[in-house]
Amino acid sequence: MFQIWTSQGNQIVLPARYIDELKMLPDTKFPSALRVFFLGTYLWPVDQWRLDYVQKGVHKDLIKHLPTMFADANEGTDRLVSLEFPQCPDWTPVTVYPKALRVVSRINAKTLIGNRLEENEEWIDISTSYTRNIFVSSAKLRLFPAFMRPVAQYFIPELKSVWRCNKRARDIIAPILAERAVREKSGDFKKPHDSIEWFRDDASNPKDKQDPQLHALAQLLLGALSVNTTTQLITNSLFNLATYPEYVPILRQEINDTYKANGGKWTMDSMAQLQKLDSFIKETLRHAGHLTLTFHRLALEPIPLSDGAQIPKGSTAFSPANAINFDPDLYPDPDTFDGLRFYNLRHSTPENAKKYQLTSLAVEQMQFGAGRHACPGRAIAGHQVKLILANLLNKYELKLKEGEGRPKTVLFQTNQFPDPQGQVLFKNRKG
């Protein structure tokens, strides 16, 4: 365990051996530090505690409604992919990230909010820009001392964009809430199974049930926590499919065999049978996770550790996810991309059958976090990635541009992004 200086001040780097004893500590002692990271008082014009509805709703309701969400995602994938990815009768360069971003934004809108927002271009424009702008706004704000931020905020273009999106989203959500209120009073209301109702059910203050600004921010935050990370994983997977074409026939065969064996339809059970695709995606995540550091925590009191060390009060701490991902003691030949690495590990012993799935939680791979604040949406995100990749592999051949290598990963502070301008050649498959 050691300490380094970052743009957030001094932070403690936690070796993997401490994660199990720390991951379930209550928020009164060792909460997530993401709110500190985002400097949310400058981003979101509500009392910050009110945004806890997002955390409550996601943890309480997302898993409960996973079958419905999967059905919505499955029903919309082909149509929504076709809206963004073009017909390519000949080899055509496609800038992957923005296409994937719009597909994921549309599917998320369909599964989480409904009300046909997946077809609302203004909502999709807001969703696709919001995540980047809140991250960049926070990063730029942290360049200033705390006493300068109240003035500096007015000179950050991305932050101004966040404020505009907050207002635009409020104007879109407001009539949805108003219509539901009218229908509730009339008795003609069948409660939808969507995230708007999750947050309304969890609201402790009756006014919060109908506050359009609060609900707009909740939806934007929910999207920010899911859209960009899912998009990055899809983009990096497509880059790797073009870079390592030897895996394409292997994965296509598995996809086609699984689809036929399950009556020509995708279900959550049939998704679980795509073990080679699952392994390929997980290896992509190991090589290019969206964060170099995870398990961000803030010590609200001194935290004693089992070996006698202590995390001081007021310290922020994290786990070095990238260092773990490339540890040769955990992953032999770690710099080599082995798309079937986790498939082979799963089949090496009976005990490993579930340990090395894409969405499994383990100290050997920390991209989804651990414990109380592990990503609650990893299951639906994993299904979305598989549905979209299976659809694209069925429709297109892929390859890199002649003479060019895999598009580079962009590192910004603790974030890793696939090249947003990176291109892959697409061509319609025959038949």
Side-chain angles (χ1 to χ4, degrees), residues 52-67:
D52 288 344
Y53 294 138
V54 178
Q55 182 176 334
K56 287 181 183 177
V58 169
H59 280 86
K60 182 169 68 73
D61 294 298
L62 193 147
I63 297 298
K64 181 169 64 177
H65 295 299
L66 183 59

Side-chain angles (χ1 to χ4, degrees), residues 4-25:
I4 63 172
W5 187 90
T6 73
S7 61
Q8 294 174 260
N10 288 324
Q11 296 198 49
I12 294 173
V13 181
L14 297 168
R17 67 179 181 272
Y18 291 125
I19 299 301
D20 283 338
E21 64 184 279
L22 293 171
K23 65 185 182 182
M24 297 307 293
L25 289 179

Side-chain angles (χ1 to χ4, degrees), residues 33 65 131 147 161 195 200 209 279 284 334 366 382 384 404 431:
H65 295 299
T131 303
F147 74 90
S161 178
S195 57
R200 293 180 80 217
K209 291 182 181 292
S279 174
T284 295
M366 292 288 294
Q384 285 184 10
E404 295 188 9

Side-chain angles (χ1 to χ4, degrees), residues 70 258-259 262 265-275:
F70 175 83
T258 303
Y259 191 70
N262 287 273
K265 60 182 179 180
W266 291 122
T267 65
M268 290 197 297
D269 288 339
S270 61
M271 286 283 106
Q273 296 166 27
L274 297 173
Q275 295 187 12

Side-chain angles (χ1 to χ4, degrees), residues 63-132:
I63 297 298
K64 181 169 64 177
H65 295 299
L66 183 59
T68 302
M69 293 174 65
F70 175 83
D72 285 341
N74 184 29
E75 186 274 331
T77 295
D78 186 65
R79 173 173 59 90
L80 298 176
V81 166
S82 296
L83 283 176
E84 302 298 339
F85 281 84
Q87 287 293 312
C88 303
D90 295 310
W91 287 110
T92 304
V94 174
T95 307
V96 175
Y97 181 82
K99 297 291 186 185
L101 179 61
R102 290 181 64 83
V103 171
V104 175
S105 295
R106 290 184 187 278
I107 291 176
N108 261 34
K110 178 175 173 57
T111 58
L112 290 170
I113 314 174
N115 294 277
R116 304 192 73 82
L117 284 188
E118 74 272 16
E119 299 171 5
N120 184 314
E121 290 299 327
E122 185 177 15
W123 183 264
I124 300 306
D125 287 342
I126 293 169
S127 176
T128 53
S129 67
Y130 198 74
T131 303
R132 175 189 177 275

